[in-house]
Amino acid sequence: MRRSAKTCPLCENGVRVINYKDDRTVGRFITEQGKILARRMTGICARHQRQLGIAVKRARYLALVPYTKRFTA
């Protein structure tokens, strides 16, 4: 049995380019540990996944998105 393919939520909304300055969009695809979620978890297409990786890394570097969401001592 085969599952039907997920459609990319960003393609459905007409997003062409993921902007690193949009911390809400970028933050949706990051775990609490600060890791980027996999394509099979989010259903994002390959093109948007590549853009997301670059956007997350740029946003981390500019401190728009934290490297980790929670701090444990």
Side-chain angles (χ1 to χ4, degrees):
M1 292 181 60
R2 209 156 199 227
R3 290 186 186 174
S4 61
K6 291 182 184 178
T7 58
C8 177
L10 298 175
C11 289
E12 286 179 353
N13 293 333
V15 176
R16 303 283 290 162
V17 178
I18 299 174
N19 192 354
Y20 67 92
K21 296 176 191 171
D22 187 11
D23 59 343
R24 243 184 243 172
T25 304
V26 172
R28 280 179 38 199
F29 302 107
I30 299 175
T31 64
E32 285 190 7
Q33 290 82 23
K35 296 181 180 180
I36 302 169
L37 287 171
R39 281 183 57 202
R40 66 179 178 271
M41 301 294 282
T42 59
I44 294 178
C45 63
R47 185 179 111 202
H48 281 123
Q49 184 69 25
R50 286 191 298 271
Q51 290 179 6
L52 178 70
I54 293 168
V56 167
K57 291 170 189 175
R58 286 180 181 168
R60 283 178 185 160
Y61 181 75
L62 294 173
L64 299 174
V65 176
Y67 281 94
T68 59
K69 288 193 176 184
R70 59 183 172 91
F71 177 77
T72 57

